[in-house]
């Protein structure tokens, strides 16, 4: 597929001129005896016409220059967003942007997703999603989702079998995106970078999800994950207006990664080598700059121990020229003496940890548990003889084998100074729980995500609770199966994990997952009527484990685990099951 900006080719003028020749006396344009060069030119024009049939003609484009996501590729899912672009019924939205793929990316989903939603802000009551379409295409994974997105309408010139396949780099570069509402009886999306083209062609128009039925607008926005976007052009002015490509002066900055403490004798340059700054320029454009682009001063000095103020100055425009007025930011840090030794002066609140082994984890080797420093005090003695209780965030801890018995945890401070603390590990015993109702979710699988829940089940420290049920799925997507929710009694969530190796929440990022299934198609086919047992363990160290054993109707037993979900208050751990285009039957043989 090629691109053009509605440029009128000179070839069309030539073709018009040649057509006129057919009316001239003795004209040989279509004569078999016409000169070879003329026949060749006619064929060239015809080939050009055929080539141009698939071109995306960009009309009415405006510059809208800004960056979405951290340029160090650190933006996680749902952490950075483009502006909102409102698309009225009967119109097209064209967008052009550069997609930057992390050269070190190992997962195919580290690109961007187009989110299609009602005409409302994300955090408002009227916000409803049609769904999401990512640039990668993985039929066995989650490259598209949503109650109003039918994956059977997706086509792509590049398909991944798993989310660890090679080829993620092919998605990078200049991307042209088209969201088309011009046909009253259909809806389509095209995203292409000239190497990879992905399309979504729905043979029906979108339903209206707006609370006001007279409002037929939709909104679209972009969300990168592990990548970033340099937006360039749009034909629809976004909410808040476009951002021009003209050079811009800096307005403000926020310092990042400033160390809390620095040893006496460390130079300011070395101490601040990893500092970055988020610079905001005119028109709201932002970018992150490295320490090498900043000027630092320490007040009052770096030579003596004590509280210090770091002053940073930035004096460049968005394009790197000298700016009209430099901007300044500051941050506090402490210069301290070097540590001579550390000692545990108050033991941790919890030193007895637990693990459970099911069919999902019985093959794991070198399984470990995380150390929980809650309540522990570590006192550092410095080379000048002074002592001070350290912040536990400045310490690192060795992991603990998931094996019965007593184990030593190594605590490490700066420059490799260590101390030890003892913990005990035991196997957890599982006990079954029962739901008070026989069915969760409509039996025609019409219940949307979060539309129905099981009972809440409490999991005390050291215990494992199991629940068995039959899972019935609409089979529309891998996610249309049971979902496990870990939360407090007041329903504050720790994490949400699905049957298909996916989850989210404050505690999810730290967990170890089993990686999903080797054959997602067979797995999904077997989930409509699968016998499932879910195990939830309160490990006693501020983490929880979720394990699942799924006996599919295809005769295959599959497993899934999420180990070490953190941010858990061990004294307040509960779980519930919910559904998404599926229903659960309890107590059936």
């Amino acid at each position: 597929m090629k691109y053009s900006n509605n440029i009128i080719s000179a070839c069309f003028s030539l073709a018009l001129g040649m057509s006129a020749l057919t009316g001239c006396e003795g004209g040989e344009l279509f004569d078999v005896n016409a000169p070879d060069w003329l026949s060749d030119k006619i064929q060239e024009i015809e080939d050009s016409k055929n080539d141009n049939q698939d071109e995306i003609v960009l009309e009415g484009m405006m510059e809208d220059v800004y960056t979405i996501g951290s340029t160090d590729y650190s933006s996680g899912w749902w952490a950075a967003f483009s502006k909102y672009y409102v698309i009225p019924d009967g119109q097209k939205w064209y967008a052009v942007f550069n997609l930057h793929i992390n050269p070190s990316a190992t997962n195919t989903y580290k690109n961007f997703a187009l989110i299609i939603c009602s005409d409302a802000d994300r955090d408002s009551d009227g916000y409803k999603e049609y769904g999401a379409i990512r640039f990668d295409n993985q039929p066995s994974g989650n490259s598209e989702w949503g109650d109003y997105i039918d994956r059977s309408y997706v086509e792509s010139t590049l398909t991944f079998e798993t989310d660890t396949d090679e080829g993620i780099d092919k998605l990078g570069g200049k991307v042209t995106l088209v969201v088309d509402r011009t046909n009253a009886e259909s809806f389509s999306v095209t995203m292409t970078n000239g190497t990879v083209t992905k399309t979504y062609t729905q043979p029906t128009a979108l339903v209206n999800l707006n609370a006001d039925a007279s409002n037929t607008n939709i909104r679209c926005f972009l969300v990168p994950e592990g990548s970033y976007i340099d937006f360039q052009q749009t034909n629809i002015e976004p909410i808040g207006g476009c951002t021009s490509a003209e050079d811009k002066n800096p307005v403000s900055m926020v310092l990042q990664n400033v160390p809390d403490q620095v040893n006496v004798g460390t130079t300011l340059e070395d101490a601040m080598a990893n500092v970055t700054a988020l610079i905001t320029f005119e028109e709201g454009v932002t970018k992150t700059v490295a320490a090498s682009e900043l000027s630092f001063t320490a007040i009052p000095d770096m030579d003596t121990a004590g509280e210090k103020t770091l002053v940073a100055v930035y004096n460049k425009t968005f394009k790197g020229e000298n700016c009209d007025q430099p901007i300044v930011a500051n941050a506090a840090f402490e210069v301290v003496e070097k540590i001579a030794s550390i000692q545990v002066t108050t033991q941790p609140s919890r030193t007895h940890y637990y693990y459970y082994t099911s069919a999902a984890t019985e093959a794991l080797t070198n399984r470990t548990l995380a150390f929980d420093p809650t309540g522990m005090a570590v006192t550092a003695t410095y080379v000048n003889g002074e002592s001070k209780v350290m912040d536990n965030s400045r310490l690192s801890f060795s992991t603990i084998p998931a094996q019965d018995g007593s184990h030593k945890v190594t605590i490490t401070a700066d420059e490799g100074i260590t101390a030890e603390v003892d913990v005990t590990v035991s196997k957890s015993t599982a006990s079954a729980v029962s739901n008070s109702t026989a069915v969760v979710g409509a039996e025609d699988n019409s219940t949307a995500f979060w539309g129905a829940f099981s009972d809440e089940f409490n999991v005390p420290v050291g215990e494992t609770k199991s629940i068995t049920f039959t899972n019935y799925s609409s089979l529309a997507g891998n996610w249309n199966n049971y979902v496990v929710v870990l939360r407090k009694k007041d329903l504050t969530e720790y994490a949400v994990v699905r049957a298909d190796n996916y989850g989210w929440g404050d505690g999810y990022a730290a967990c170890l997952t089993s990686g999903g299934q080797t054959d997602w198609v067979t797995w999904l086919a077997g989930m409509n009527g699968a016998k499932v047992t879910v195990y939830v363990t309160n490990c006693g160290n501020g983490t929880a484990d979720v394990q699942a054993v799924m006996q599919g109707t295809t005769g295959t037993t599959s497993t899934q685990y999420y180990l070490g979900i953190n941010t858990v208050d061990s004294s307040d751990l509960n779980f519930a099951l919910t559904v998404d285009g599926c229903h659960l039957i309890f107590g059936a043989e």
Side-chain angles (χ1 to χ4, degrees), residues 208-426:
N208 190 350
L209 297 183
N210 294 314
D212 179 0
S214 66
N215 180 5
T216 59
N217 294 338
I218 65 169
R219 289 193 193 186
C220 290
F221 59 93
L222 307 180
V223 181
E225 180 178 7
S227 63
Y228 70 94
I229 292 170
D230 282 329
F231 204 95
Q232 294 180 334
Q233 294 177 302
T234 176
N235 69 317
I236 290 177
E237 184 172 344
I239 294 176
C242 291
T243 304
S244 73
E246 295 179 359
D247 205 0
K248 302 166 185 65
N249 281 302
V251 176
S252 64
M253 70 172 162
V254 177
L255 297 178
Q256 301 170 323
N257 304 319
V258 176
D260 294 325
Q261 294 184 338
V262 176
N263 285 338
V264 169
T266 305
T267 66
L268 183 61
E269 180 181 7
D270 289 343
M272 304 303 160
N274 295 322
V275 171
T276 60
L278 178 64
I279 311 294
T280 299
F281 298 86
E282 294 170 325
E283 300 186 47
V285 179
T286 62
K287 73 174 177 180
T288 301
V289 302
S292 58
E293 299 182 60
L294 303 168
S295 298
F296 294 120
T297 302
I299 298 175
D301 56 49
M302 288 287 289
D303 301 325
T304 59
E307 299 292 334
K308 310 293 179 180
T309 299
L310 174 69
V311 178
V313 180
Y314 182 74
N315 67 344
K316 299 295 182 182
T317 65
F318 184 71
K319 293 185 177 181
E321 303 296 329
N322 288 331
C323 65
D324 295 340
Q325 179 68 46
I327 56 174
V328 179
N330 59 74
F333 69 101
E334 183 181 11
V335 174
V336 298
E337 297 288 347
K338 290 184 179 180
I339 297 173
S341 63
I342 59 173
Q343 180 181 6
V344 177
T345 48
T346 303
Q347 291 294 310
S349 301
R350 298 188 186 277
T351 57
H352 199 160
Y353 302 162
Y354 301 85
Y355 70 97
Y356 181 75
T357 301
S358 72
T361 52
E362 61 186 3
L364 276 180
T365 58
N366 300 319
R367 181 177 172 185
T368 60
L369 299 167
F371 175 68
D372 181 7
T374 301
M376 181 181 71
V378 174
T379 299
T381 300
Y382 297 91
V383 293
N384 64 355
E386 294 181 354
S387 296
K388 184 178 180 180
V389 174
M390 299 186 67
D391 189 322
N392 286 340
S393 65
R394 295 188 57 219
L395 303 169
S396 62
F397 312 102
S398 62
T399 56
I400 304 154
Q403 300 173 1
D404 288 7
S406 179
H407 302 277
K408 290 189 179 296
V409 176
T410 300
I411 303 167
T412 304
D414 294 342
E415 301 170 349
I417 306 299
T418 63
E420 292 182 336
V421 66
D422 292 323
V423 299
T424 301
V425 177
S426 300

Side-chain angles (χ1 to χ4, degrees), residues 419-455:
E420 292 182 336
V421 66
D422 292 323
V423 299
T424 301
V425 177
S426 300
K427 292 180 181 178
S428 174
T429 301
S431 59
V433 295
S434 300
N435 199 55
S436 60
T437 61
V439 182
V440 172
E443 295 190 44
D444 62 357
N445 297 320
S446 62
T447 303
F449 176 63
W450 220 252
F453 288 87
S454 71
D455 299 336

Side-chain angles (χ1 to χ4, degrees), residues 39-346:
S39 298
D40 291 343
K41 181 56 66 178
I42 294 169
Q43 187 60 52
E44 180 182 331
I45 294 170
E46 288 302 311
D47 290 344
S48 175
K49 289 180 179 178
N50 291 334
D51 288 345
N52 288 338
Q53 287 178 355
D54 290 333
E55 289 184 347
I56 295 177
V57 179
L58 304 178
E59 299 176 332
M61 302 302 286
M62 301 173 283
E63 65 179 17
D64 192 16
V65 182
Y66 65 103
T67 299
I68 310 159
S70 298
T71 55
D72 62 358
Y73 307 104
S74 62
S75 295
W77 174 247
W78 215 249
F81 308 92
S82 75
K83 302 173 185 178
Y84 291 112
Y85 296 85
V86 178
I87 308 171
D89 196 13
Q91 293 193 25
K92 287 183 183 181
W93 175 43
Y94 301 105
V96 177
F97 51 87
N98 281 320
L99 173 63
H100 299 270
I101 300 294
N102 188 345
S104 302
T106 56
N107 298 109
T108 58
Y109 53 80
K110 297 296 182 70
N111 53 92
F112 82 94
L114 166 71
I115 310 298
I116 307 163
C117 65
S118 58
D119 190 11
D121 292 351
R122 281 181 295 275
D123 56 354
S124 69
D125 292 337
Y127 177 80
K128 295 181 180 179
E129 286 183 11
Y130 293 93
I133 302 174
R134 279 202 321 251
F135 194 15
D136 64 292
N137 183 50
Q138 187 191 343
S140 62
N142 301 314
S143 51
E144 308 83 30
W145 63 89
D147 291 338
Y148 299 89
I149 297 295
D150 187 332
R151 303 184 76 191
S152 66
Y153 300 143
V154 172
E155 292 185 359
S156 179
T157 58
L158 177 64
T159 296
F160 298 109
E161 296 300 324
T162 72
D163 61 18
T164 56
D165 286 0
E166 295 182 355
I168 180 65
D169 57 298
K170 295 179 181 179
L171 301 179
K174 187 175 182 179
V175 176
T176 299
L177 171 67
V178 183
V179 178
D180 190 350
R181 302 188 71 197
T182 56
N183 190 326
E185 297 181 353
S186 66
F187 172 76
S188 68
V189 174
T190 300
M191 47 185 72
T192 180
N193 63 359
T195 300
V196 177
T197 299
K198 182 173 181 177
T199 59
Y200 176 79
T201 307
Q202 178 177 301
T204 57
L206 293 175
V207 299
N208 190 350
L209 297 183
N210 294 314
D212 179 0
S214 66
N215 180 5
T216 59
N217 294 338
I218 65 169
R219 289 193 193 186
C220 290
F221 59 93
L222 307 180
V223 181
E225 180 178 7
S227 63
Y228 70 94
I229 292 170
D230 282 329
F231 204 95
Q232 294 180 334
Q233 294 177 302
T234 176
N235 69 317
I236 290 177
E237 184 172 344
I239 294 176
C242 291
T243 304
S244 73
E246 295 179 359
D247 205 0
K248 302 166 185 65
N249 281 302
V251 176
S252 64
M253 70 172 162
V254 177
L255 297 178
Q256 301 170 323
N257 304 319
V258 176
D260 294 325
Q261 294 184 338
V262 176
N263 285 338
V264 169
T266 305
T267 66
L268 183 61
E269 180 181 7
D270 289 343
M272 304 303 160
N274 295 322
V275 171
T276 60
L278 178 64
I279 311 294
T280 299
F281 298 86
E282 294 170 325
E283 300 186 47
V285 179
T286 62
K287 73 174 177 180
T288 301
V289 302
S292 58
E293 299 182 60
L294 303 168
S295 298
F296 294 120
T297 302
I299 298 175
D301 56 49
M302 288 287 289
D303 301 325
T304 59
E307 299 292 334
K308 310 293 179 180
T309 299
L310 174 69
V311 178
V313 180
Y314 182 74
N315 67 344
K316 299 295 182 182
T317 65
F318 184 71
K319 293 185 177 181
E321 303 296 329
N322 288 331
C323 65
D324 295 340
Q325 179 68 46
I327 56 174
V328 179
N330 59 74
F333 69 101
E334 183 181 11
V335 174
V336 298
E337 297 288 347
K338 290 184 179 180
I339 297 173
S341 63
I342 59 173
Q343 180 181 6
V344 177
T345 48
T346 303

Side-chain angles (χ1 to χ4, degrees), residues 147 446-453 479 483 485 496 498 504 578-581:
D147 291 338
S446 62
T447 303
F449 176 63
W450 220 252
F453 288 87
W479 56 88
V483 181
V485 185
V496 180
R498 298 193 319 214
W504 58 89
T578 188
V579 295
D580 184 1

